[in-house]
Amino acid sequence: MAAFKSGEQQWIAKLGNLRNIIRQELIGSQLDEHIDDGSTVLDVGCGQGTQGLRLLKRGCLVTGVEPSSELRQRFINDAVTMAGNLDLIDAGIDDLDLVLGDRSFDAVCTHGLLMYLGDTAAAVSALSARVATGGLLSLTVKNTHGLAMRPALRGDWASAIAAFKSADYQNELGVKARSHRLDEVEQHLDTVGFEVAAWYGIRVFNDAIAGDVDPPPKATLDQLLEAETRAARSDPYRWLGSQLHIIAHRSNG
């Protein structure tokens, strides 16, 4: 996560923008369909706890793993009035065996982390090992399939052309990161005995908007989110999402 550290303050400054609201709302509503109330949940790279807070409200027992002290403190501050069970750990994905022992969870999540790691296969293996019998794994990745869309819609043709040549990119925080294809993630999951149960495209229609755009009035935002929700699960739109949200479970047999 050293790569993300350089963009952390920009990330914090942009938490309330429309782009982030769309991403978080879509991931949250999709998780609602797959994670039962009261489940045990591990969120690796939980950041400021947007999804963890939502799960706490549903009675889930949330364990958050996050190396940033500032993001952990934001999570703690927002969770202080909640009656839910939160265990927040100062660690990263490479520390899971050390800090978790033999614990397993009904749901294991990592959203916005894999694009910053050098070894995706090792990360998927470490995360899948924490999924309890009958549980699920929730991952988000930057979508290689739609990597040229944002720069093209902004008229940045040099970057759009470059996106066809490499899965690497520089994100809105100015940090170098890596995108993934759906079939690439499926191969990593298959290696650890998991298969995709559902997948969604995230931010199909609004990915090209600037990072400083505030959310519109509620009535407009509700319509925008409904359109994004429909696109997230409909072909061919979901293939063009800025990110992919993938839900996986152990393969039968």
Side-chain angles (χ1 to χ4, degrees):
M1 286 295 287
F4 174 78
K5 187 66 179 177
S6 64
E8 182 179 315
Q9 291 305 311
Q10 287 193 65
W11 167 259
I12 291 171
K14 294 174 182 289
L15 283 174
N17 70 17
L18 180 57
R19 289 169 54 85
N20 192 55
I21 287 172
I22 294 169
R23 173 180 171 271
Q24 298 286 10
E25 284 296 318
L26 263 66
I27 292 173
S29 63
Q30 290 155 6
L31 287 178
D32 287 346
E33 299 178 19
H34 296 280
I35 298 179
D36 294 332
D37 293 352
S39 296
T40 57
V41 181
L42 172 66
D43 190 350
V44 180
C46 62
Q48 72 284 345
T50 303
Q51 297 306 327
L53 291 166
R54 184 173 180 134
L55 291 162
L56 285 171
K57 290 178 181 178
R58 297 178 51 209
C60 293
L61 284 68
V62 177
T63 298
V65 173
E66 173 55 53
S68 166
S69 59
E70 184 169 353
L71 291 175
R72 288 197 314 275
Q73 191 58 54
R74 283 174 171 267
F75 195 167
I76 292 169
N77 292 345
D78 288 338
V80 71
T81 60
M82 295 184 179
N85 189 324
L86 173 62
D87 180 14
L88 201 50
I89 301 172
D90 176 8
I93 190 169
D94 294 332
D95 308 313
L96 296 185
D97 287 345
L98 176 65
V99 299
L100 296 176
D102 61 356
R103 295 172 65 188
S104 61
F105 303 82
D106 299 322
V108 175
C109 305
T110 188
H111 307 134
L113 174 62
L114 294 181
M115 59 275 292
Y116 297 112
L117 303 180
D119 192 338
T120 306
V124 170
S125 178
L127 294 164
S128 66
R130 296 292 159 182
V131 179
T133 301
L136 64 85
L137 182 60
S138 171
L139 311 170
T140 64
V141 296
K142 179 70 173 180
N143 178 21
T144 305
H145 306 289
L147 196 57
M149 288 296 295
R150 183 193 301 168
L153 290 172
R154 290 178 174 176
D156 181 358
W157 302 115
S159 296
I161 292 168
F164 288 103
K165 302 175 182 178
S166 174
D168 297 330
Y169 69 102
Q170 183 166 293
N171 67 16
E172 296 285 274
L173 305 177
V175 178
K176 291 183 178 180
R178 184 169 183 81
S179 66
H180 296 81
R181 302 185 316 273
L182 179 61
D183 62 312
E184 178 185 358
V185 178
E186 287 177 323
Q187 289 172 7
H188 292 312
L189 290 167
D190 182 66
T191 299
V192 295
F194 276 61
E195 62 185 2
V196 174
W199 69 273
Y200 310 90
I202 302 295
R203 216 164 47 218
V204 173
F205 297 134
N206 291 275
D207 189 53
I209 61 176
D212 58 357
V213 174
D214 292 328
K218 184 178 184 305
T220 301
L221 180 61
D222 287 346
Q223 287 187 315
L224 182 158
L225 290 173
E226 181 178 351
E228 287 282 2
T229 296
R230 291 174 180 267
R233 62 191 66 216
S234 301
D235 291 330
Y237 302 104
R238 61 178 178 167
W239 287 96
L240 301 178
S242 173
Q243 296 186 17
L244 302 179
H245 180 201
I246 299 166
I247 304 291
H249 52 55
R250 284 190 174 81
S251 306
N252 292 330

